């Protein structure tokens, strides 16, 4: 692998552009492919997000897929977020925290994590969540969580989680219903967020949310 | 899939190389049966034996590092097979019963 190829792959990753490194396993020849110049088989590998061996005009090649990291967007720079953000980073997600309350979303509390002080609907409009994005609301405050959930439901986010008791969640769903969302939309929201593992501390709650989010991404039949 | 981990791995390999070290990169190209790391998983090794990442659950890394040292010296990329015979499993410790193929190359 050439140093210049690593530089190029790093640049593409920084721009969140999908790329593949194609290696001819017989000769060791390598080239970087992006979506613009990918032949169908490589494009399919990029779309499936799956590295592997393929046959390219009779040559046995290995395609190393380098799609942009999946994202976790957390609304609410609260105590649980201080556990969830580093855990999600470690799990391989690019994490962004949204909280208009500047006293909460500070670099001191969240070293090395991307922060936005915009209102959740504006911040989410700018971040444009896609099918490789999870959105978790943790503020408990309807004026933040609701606007985030409305934006989340209008996106392709693969996971939407909302913290709060069953009672809080029921009231939340009623408000969303009043906004015109239906049963299919409601079913997309994991609320209260997290697998039932008896989590008590902020870190344990973060584990349960991250576990549920992982199941949603990796299992065909995710536990509810 | 690319995680921030993968980005760090290649960036670290580049840093080691720029610092004047020989660096090899091992990539899982195919797996059969039970194996802990999927195709695309990577391990980087330098000429001092520093390593980062993984290509198995720690079962074949030792053997891969030995090959990587040779590849750093001669520059010829190699495709390594790790199988399931009991003797091999004893030798390189692939106890899970899976098979995997690993491409090892030098960073130029």
């Amino acid at each position: 692998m050439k140093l210049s190829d690593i530089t190029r792959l790093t640049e593409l990753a920084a721009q969140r552009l999908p790329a593949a490194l194609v290696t001819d396993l017989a000769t060791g020849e390598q080239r970087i492919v992006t979506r613009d110049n990918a032949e169908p088989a490589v494009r399919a590998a990029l779309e499936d997000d799956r590295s592997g061996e393929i046959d390219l005009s009779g040559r046995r090649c290995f395609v190393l897929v380098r799609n942009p990291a999946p994202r976790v967007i957390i609304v609410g720079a609260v105590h649980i977020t201080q556990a969830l953000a580093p855990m999600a980073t470690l799990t391989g997600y690019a994490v962004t925290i949204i909280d208009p309350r500047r006293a909460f979303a500070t670099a001191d509390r969240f070293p090395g994590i991307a922060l936005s002080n915009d209102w959740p609907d504006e911040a989410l409009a700018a971040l444009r969540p896609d099918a490789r994005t999870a959105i978790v609301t943790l503020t408990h405050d309807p004026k933040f969580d609701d606007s985030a959930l409305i934006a989340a439901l209008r996106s392709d986010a693969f996971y939407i989680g909302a913290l709060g008791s069953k009672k809080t969640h029921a009231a939340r769903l009623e408000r969303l219903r009043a906004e015109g969302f239906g049963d299919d939309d409601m079913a997309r929201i994991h609320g209260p967020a997290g697998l039932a593992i008896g989590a008590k501390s902020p870190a344990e709650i973060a584990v349960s949310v991250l576990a549920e989010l992982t199941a949603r991404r990796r299992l065909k039949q995710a536990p509810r | 899939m690319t995680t921030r981990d993968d980005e760090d791995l290649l960036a670290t390999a580049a840093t080691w190389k720029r610092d004047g070290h020989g660096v090899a990169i091992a990539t899982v190209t195919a797996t059969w049966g039970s194996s802990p790391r999927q195709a695309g998983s990577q391990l980087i090794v330098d000429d001092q034996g520093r390593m980062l990442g993984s290509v198995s659950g720690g079962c074949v890394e030792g053997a891969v590092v030995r090959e990587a040292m040779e590849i750093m010296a001669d520059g010829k990329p190699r495709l390594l097979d790790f199988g399931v015979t009991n003797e091999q499993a004893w030798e390189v410790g692939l106890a899970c019963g899976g098979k995997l193929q690993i491409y090892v190359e030098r960073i130029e």
Side-chain angles (χ1 to χ4, degrees), chain A residues 12-111:
Chain A
L12 289 165
Q15 297 169 60
R16 293 191 59 82
L17 291 173
L21 180 73
V22 179
T23 306
D24 184 321
L25 289 173
T27 65
E29 257 173 78
Q30 285 175 326
R31 63 197 162 91
I32 291 172
V33 175
T34 59
R35 232 173 2 204
D36 303 334
N37 64 359
E39 50 268 71
V42 178
R43 184 187 293 264
L46 281 171
E47 275 162 18
D48 293 350
D49 199 16
R50 189 184 295 273
S51 298
E53 282 182 21
I54 56 170
D55 189 295
L56 288 177
S57 18
R59 290 163 174 268
R60 187 175 158 219
C61 294
F62 175 70
V63 180
L64 179 71
V65 169
R66 292 181 49 90
N67 275 322
R71 293 183 290 173
V72 174
I73 300 173
I74 305 170
V75 179
V78 297
H79 196 179
I80 295 167
T81 315
Q82 286 180 285
L84 181 57
M87 283 183 197
T89 303
L90 198 58
T91 311
Y93 293 94
V95 177
T96 303
I97 299 168
I98 302 170
D99 200 321
R101 300 168 296 183
R102 286 175 194 274
F104 284 66
T106 65
D108 266 1
R109 281 160 56 84
F110 299 98

Side-chain angles (χ1 to χ4, degrees), chain A residues 1-3 6-7 23 25 28 30 49 51 53 60 62 64-67 69-70 89 92-93 217-218, chain B residues 1-4 6-7 10 14 17-18 25 27-30 39-40 42 79 101 103 105-108:
Chain A
M1 192 181 289
K2 291 189 213 105
L3 208 45
I6 295 182
T7 307
T23 306
L25 289 173
Q30 285 175 326
D49 199 16
S51 298
E53 282 182 21
R60 187 175 158 219
F62 175 70
L64 179 71
V65 169
R66 292 181 49 90
N67 275 322
T89 303
Y93 293 94
R217 177 145 180 260
R218 299 294 195 190
Chain B
M1 184 205 69
T2 299
T3 67
R4 292 167 58 121
D6 299 327
E7 284 163 33
L10 283 189
K17 178 70 187 166
R18 288 195 189 100
I25 184 157
T27 306
V28 177
T29 57
Q42 292 181 316
L79 200 53
Q101 201 164 60
Y103 185 74
E105 62 194 305
R106 184 169 77 178
I107 293 186
E108 307 291 346

Side-chain angles (χ1 to χ4, degrees), chain A residues 136-161:
Chain A
V136 187
T137 65
L138 299 178
T139 72
H140 293 100
D141 184 336
K143 72 176 178 291
F144 300 120
D145 284 358
D146 283 11
S147 72
L149 288 171
I150 289 168
L153 287 172
R154 289 180 179 146
S155 78
D156 289 331
F158 74 87
Y159 175 88
I160 303 172

